[in-house]
Amino acid sequence: MRTVTVVGASLSGLYAARELRAQGFDGRLVIIGEEPHAPYDRPPLSKDFLTGRTEEAQLALTDTEETEGLGAEWLLGVRARGLDARGRTVLLGDGRTVATDGVVIATGASARRLPGDRLAGVHTLRTLDDARGLREDLGRGTRRIVVIGGGFIGAETASSCAALGHSVTVLEAAALPLVPQLGAEMAAACAALHRRGGVELIIGTGVAGLRGTVAVTGVELSDGRTLPADIVIVGIGATPNTAWLAGSTVALRDGVLCDDGCATALPQVVAVGDVARVGGSRAEHWTSATEQPRVAVANLLAGRTTRTLRSVPYFWSDQYGSRVQFAGRRRDGDTVRIAEGELTGGELTGGAPPDGGFLALYEREGRTTAVLSVDRPRPFMRARRELVREEGQVSSGAA
């Protein structure tokens, strides 16, 4: 390959560029980014950046020395609008084209929106520009804030808003936030963090609409109630950025379809990060975005799948002064055992984590399948390493 184009100046896109150079590619490297910003770290956006403890300069993932060392052509502030895989050309929104021999798709995902969310005071939180706008809005005095969605982004944003002294309510349409990831009992324990942080959590009720003409004034619930709101933050998940691939020969289904090595059906195209559906699932987590590029680039340069990704899923979330960490693959029917710490009684079934936190093990047929920790980082890391070791034995056929 003489030219490789990375579409997406994201965390995974940057890691792919690094891997290309590390694995010996010395040809032309083009990095295309829809945002005008160089690659930046997204996790702090809902936490330290929102509260003012971190500024923009500290979010940067590269410095001048590394940028020059990569020897890449950076095309920032321009979106990709098409891929002609047969002609090996990336089409850009400004009319330009980039001829290329290989493509790394790293276009990430965009925040899902609600009808009417163009009202002033309604925010999503996915990009640096999103975080800038929300931070500015939060700085205009104490506000009544409604966060729609109790997932990780919603919980982290609610935590930051509460820390800034705002009145915060979190709405979750499901019976509990994070049940698919954690199961009902442990989801209840983590949901109790909201109450401990002074945030009201309303569960089992959907949103019927937003109130307001120019600016939002309230959130209408499906049960007929209306919550007054000066700011509404919509955190209801993300949609993979694949619209630019419509009409190409790249297979799409809730992301770019890839095998276990991040390779598409086209030998010159791989995908990484939030946009990639690898081996049947799409993982929107920092660790996936940093682990996938090594395998993807190796397969791209080989022209076929020579390596596959074997990793234990891992994610973490900082909220209300606690760190929540999870690793493994939980399935319905797994039993949960509290290995360290305890749960205290609470309003939500399952109790609440005490200040000391806890470590919970998910088990199936005598084997640990996943581990959850609240404020027990060292025991968690030991349990995570054991999970990785056991998975390696299973995948190799060992007992």
Side-chain angles (χ1 to χ4, degrees):
M1 291 187 176
R2 295 182 178 180
T3 300
V4 173
T5 301
V6 178
V7 186
S10 56
L11 174 70
S12 58
L14 174 63
Y15 270 69
R18 289 171 174 169
E19 283 296 332
L20 281 161
R21 293 310 191 201
Q23 294 187 33
F25 176 71
D26 59 1
R28 181 188 179 208
L29 175 58
V30 182
I31 303 174
I32 300 168
E34 183 174 1
E35 295 184 61
H37 317 293
Y40 59 88
D41 202 17
R42 293 183 190 273
L45 293 180
S46 59
K47 299 183 279 287
D48 286 352
F49 180 78
L50 208 57
T51 58
R53 292 193 296 268
T54 293
E55 296 303 325
E56 289 185 23
Q58 297 168 276
L59 301 175
L61 291 170
T62 59
D63 55 25
T64 302
E65 182 178 356
E66 181 186 23
T67 300
E68 293 177 352
L70 282 175
E73 299 174 33
W74 294 83
L75 304 180
L76 300 178
V78 59
R79 66 179 183 87
R81 67 173 179 85
L83 174 64
D84 180 356
R86 180 175 297 179
R88 300 196 175 190
T89 303
V90 177
L91 314 176
L92 303 182
D94 61 7
R96 287 181 291 172
T97 60
V98 178
T100 190
D101 302 302
V103 175
V104 180
I105 300 172
T107 44
S110 297
R112 289 195 179 100
R113 309 190 73 93
L114 287 175
D117 68 358
R118 301 297 179 180
L119 293 169
V122 180
H123 299 266
T124 56
L125 186 54
R126 185 80 188 182
T127 68
L128 176 56
D129 290 339
D130 291 340
R132 283 173 171 171
L134 179 55
R135 191 163 99 161
E136 181 180 355
D137 219 354
L138 291 173
R140 294 174 179 154
T142 303
R143 319 299 294 275
R144 297 168 300 178
I145 297 173
V146 175
V147 179
I148 301 174
F152 292 116
I153 290 295
E156 291 173 0
T157 307
S159 171
S160 295
C161 292
L164 291 170
H166 300 287
S167 173
V168 184
T169 300
V170 174
L171 299 177
E172 172 58 51
L176 280 170
L178 303 175
V179 169
Q181 295 90 345
L182 306 181
E185 183 181 2
M186 293 299 101
C190 290
L193 291 170
H194 291 288
R195 185 176 65 253
R196 196 174 78 183
V199 169
E200 181 182 7
L201 174 64
I202 299 176
I203 55 178
T205 303
V207 174
L210 302 178
R211 293 259 180 110
T213 51
V214 176
V216 69
T217 59
V219 178
E220 186 178 344
L221 306 185
S222 56
D223 62 10
R225 287 180 291 168
T226 297
L227 300 178
D230 304 305
I231 295 176
V232 172
I233 301 163
V234 181
I236 55 174
T239 303
N241 292 325
T242 58
W244 69 283
L245 293 166
S248 75
T249 52
V250 175
L252 307 173
R253 189 172 70 244
D254 184 37
V256 176
L257 291 182
C258 303
D259 63 14
D260 289 337
C262 303
T264 71
L266 306 175
Q268 74 275 24
V269 179
V270 297
V272 293
D274 293 356
V275 75
R277 191 172 184 84
V278 179
S281 63
R282 194 168 59 82
E284 297 179 11
H285 301 300
W286 192 92
T287 40
S288 300
T290 57
E291 290 175 350
Q292 291 172 356
R294 181 173 300 164
V295 170
V297 164
N299 294 333
L300 177 67
L301 296 178
R304 59 189 179 89
T305 299
T306 61
R307 296 176 59 182
T308 57
L309 192 68
R310 297 196 179 279
S311 62
V312 173
Y314 166 62
F315 58 81
W316 78 92
S317 176
D318 294 322
Q319 45 188 278
Y320 306 108
S322 290
R323 168 154 288 198
V324 179
Q325 295 171 283
F326 182 89
R329 296 178 176 86
R330 185 203 73 86
R331 291 196 310 213
D332 290 343
D334 288 358
T335 59
V336 183
R337 177 170 59 88
I338 303 299
E340 292 192 20
E342 61 181 5
L343 297 181
T344 60
E347 295 175 14
L348 298 171
T349 302
D355 290 340
F358 68 90
L359 181 77
L361 302 179
Y362 296 78
E363 298 171 335
R364 184 190 321 130
E365 298 177 353
R367 187 183 298 275
T368 300
T369 59
V371 57
L372 169 69
S373 163
V374 176
D375 294 331
R376 292 291 177 105
R378 289 184 179 177
F380 174 83
M381 294 310 295
R382 290 195 295 268
R384 182 187 174 197
R385 285 195 296 268
E386 183 64 17
L387 267 180
V388 172
R389 186 187 68 80
E390 289 185 2
E391 180 145 322
Q393 289 181 341
V394 171
S395 64
S396 65

